[in-house]
Amino acid sequence: MMHNRFCRRAAAAGCVFLLAAAIPMEALADGPGEAPTAEYLAYMAQLQDENLEYEEIPDLIKNFYGPMKSAYDMMANSEEQQGQIAVESRVMARDLLDQAEALEDAIDDIPAADLADTMITIATDRATAKQMRSTAASLDRSLERTSTQEKALDRQLNSLVYNVQSLMNQYEQLVSQRTVAAKSLEVAETAKQIQQTMEAQGMAVSGDVLSAAAQLASAKSTLSNLDGVLGQLHKNLCYFTGYGNDGNPVIGPVPSADVAAIAAIDVNADKEKAVGNNYELISMRTSTGGGMTDLQVRTTKTTTQTKNKLRNVEYSEDTLRSNIQTLYDTILEQKAAYDSAATALQSAQITWDAAQIQRQNGSLSQIGYLQQELAYLQAQSAFDCADLALQQAMQNYDWAVKGVTVSTE
């Protein structure tokens, strides 16, 4: 009977060890988890509707961009299973110790024939409990490493979010420019028709007609090129947000620049935040050679590696501080361009309002009216693009402070 009880406990302990060893493979499967709430399901349905919103980009990438979703799912499953096995190991260890203590308390009542087996069982229980606790401790350390890996995965996500948000900003700027290009095409078509009519009446020379035709061809080419770039950007946005190459969501607006927030920026404090947060610097500080190649690490002394690491880290920190200053200066430059574009738009609005009155009372020709409308649309597009450029400059700065590597070129 003692032998059977020992066998059952040993088999149970073996199952825990097998589970622990199987974690990397089992992490590929979905765990049971908790049932999603109605709010969660509603939000996920909203993410998958036919409107791609700027604010949804982080969650879209995390949940629907294949590589990121797989990485997060594997991480979550592995963490859940390791945590469960650690708990089970500790529970089993406690049970085994309780049994060993109970046997020790009853040692005087055990028949002499069973005494040897009992002592073996007690020793085995305690040894197995020790192994169980060691397994739990090892899993705890693994969970700590998993936490570090999850932070690294979050950093990858942030870098991707930054780039996709930039793509959407570019997309909206081109949409604004396309409105101008479409109106330019309308003006060019009207101008050509007028020149052809005047030529037929003997009031225009062939050179004027040819010039109008060339302007029309140029306008068509500009619009076609814009449509091509917009189509590619649309595909890229769909790809990274899980809609796929065949997706056709409506691309939502990019938020306007928060102009009031510029005055609150403390660039000197943000430089130090960026130095502490930068992903590449964090990696450099924790690596053996601090940015040295594998060959350099293998062929240099430890003291030399330490000196090189400190030198490389210090240089990179100074470079990052300089980049933050450059990104801040870019915000100020874009703010000046934004103010200039706003003033120009106000002036264009006055002229456009007057043109509409003139058109109504017959004092402005059709072509003149279209040209005035084009001038207004150009001013509107210039302001929209200035707003988007300022918004992007502020996003570049914010992401750089948070740790993402942002180019200053």
Side-chain angles (χ1 to χ4, degrees):
M1 181 177 66
M2 287 286 183
H3 180 69
N4 289 340
R5 183 169 57 195
F6 163 71
C7 289
R8 286 196 297 271
R9 282 197 295 269
C15 287
V16 173
F17 286 133
L18 287 173
L19 282 171
I23 285 174
M25 185 64 71
E26 291 299 324
L28 297 174
D30 291 333
E34 295 182 2
T37 63
E39 292 79 4
Y40 173 81
L41 293 175
Y43 180 63
M44 295 302 284
Q46 177 184 327
L47 286 178
Q48 299 175 78
D49 64 14
E50 292 305 309
N51 297 292
L52 200 171
E53 303 294 343
Y54 187 87
E55 295 79 5
E56 295 175 344
I57 288 176
D59 287 336
L60 284 169
I61 294 175
K62 184 174 182 179
N63 291 283
F64 301 106
Y65 174 51
M68 293 304 298
K69 176 174 169 32
S70 296
Y72 273 105
D73 286 349
M74 183 177 295
M75 187 80 64
N77 290 332
S78 175
E79 186 173 355
E80 179 182 353
Q81 293 186 26
Q82 289 183 69
Q84 182 179 355
I85 294 172
V87 170
E88 291 175 353
S89 296
R90 287 193 171 88
V91 170
M92 182 173 292
R94 184 66 263 172
D95 288 344
L96 289 170
L97 289 175
D98 289 344
Q99 292 180 63
E101 291 171 1
L103 287 174
E104 288 173 343
D105 291 342
I107 199 74
D108 294 337
D109 300 327
I110 295 175
D114 292 335
L115 188 58
D117 284 344
T118 300
M119 297 304 294
I120 293 174
T121 300
I122 291 172
T124 302
D125 282 350
R126 290 192 175 278
T128 305
K130 183 177 180 180
Q131 290 176 330
M132 292 293 95
R133 286 179 168 175
S134 177
T135 297
S138 176
L139 289 169
D140 287 342
R141 291 191 294 272
S142 179
L143 284 172
E144 291 177 0
R145 291 193 296 271
T146 299
S147 178
T148 301
Q149 294 168 359
E150 189 168 3
K151 288 180 181 178
L153 188 57
D154 287 342
R155 291 166 187 161
Q156 293 179 34
L157 174 64
N158 287 341
S159 296
L160 191 53
V161 168
Y162 161 67
N163 283 291
V164 174
Q165 286 178 341
S166 298
L167 283 179
M168 186 177 282
N169 189 296
Q170 295 173 35
Y171 181 86
E172 185 161 331
Q173 289 193 49
L174 290 177
V175 167
S176 176
Q177 293 170 21
R178 188 193 186 285
T179 301
V180 175
K183 183 56 65 174
S184 295
L185 177 60
E186 183 181 351
V187 171
E189 287 174 338
T190 302
K192 181 184 177 183
Q193 292 171 2
I194 291 174
Q195 290 298 325
Q196 288 175 331
T197 300
M198 293 177 65
E199 182 185 34
Q201 297 173 349
M203 300 172 63
V205 297
S206 59
D208 294 331
V209 177
L210 291 175
S211 177
Q215 290 178 1
L216 177 59
S218 176
K220 286 181 177 179
S221 176
T222 298
L223 186 60
S224 177
N225 290 337
L226 277 173
D227 284 340
V229 176
L230 280 169
Q232 187 57 54
L233 282 176
H234 193 281
K235 285 185 178 180
N236 291 341
L237 286 169
C238 289
Y239 175 73
F240 287 112
T241 53
Y243 284 93
N245 291 330
D246 297 329
N248 192 32
V250 176
I251 307 298
V254 174
S256 296
D258 185 2
V259 179
I262 298 175
I265 294 176
D266 185 342
V267 66
N268 291 322
D270 287 341
K271 288 177 183 177
E272 302 313 310
K273 290 180 183 178
V275 165
N277 294 335
N278 185 263
Y279 306 155
E280 293 183 2
L281 273 172
I282 290 172
S283 176
M284 186 179 292
R285 294 188 191 104
T286 55
S287 64
T288 302
M292 298 172 63
T293 65
D294 290 339
L295 177 60
Q296 289 172 327
V297 170
R298 289 195 300 270
T299 56
T300 55
K301 297 180 180 179
T302 303
T303 54
T304 302
Q305 292 178 24
T306 301
K307 290 179 181 178
N308 288 343
K309 176 178 178 178
L310 292 174
R311 188 187 307 112
N312 290 340
V313 169
E314 183 178 3
Y315 174 79
S316 297
E317 287 177 349
D318 289 341
T319 300
L320 180 57
R321 291 186 183 97
S322 176
N323 288 345
I324 294 296
Q325 183 65 53
T326 299
L327 292 171
Y328 176 70
D329 293 342
T330 301
I331 291 176
L332 300 182
E333 292 171 3
Q334 295 296 343
K335 174 60 167 58
Y338 171 91
D339 290 339
S340 177
T343 300
L345 178 58
Q346 290 175 355
S347 176
Q349 183 70 62
I350 294 172
T351 303
W352 173 234
D353 291 342
Q356 293 180 76
I357 295 174
Q358 291 173 338
R359 182 60 176 167
Q360 290 174 0
N361 61 30
S363 61
L364 186 64
S365 66
Q366 179 189 12
I367 188 65
Y369 178 78
L370 290 175
Q371 289 170 339
Q372 290 291 346
E373 184 179 8
L374 175 60
Y376 170 73
L377 290 175
Q378 288 172 331
Q380 180 67 62
S381 177
F383 173 75
D384 291 342
C385 290
D387 179 31
L388 289 163
L390 177 57
Q391 191 268 359
Q392 187 59 55
M394 296 178 72
Q395 284 291 308
N396 291 347
Y397 181 90
D398 289 343
W399 278 114
V401 172
K402 291 175 182 176
V404 174
T405 298
V406 176
S407 174
T408 57
E409 296 180 357

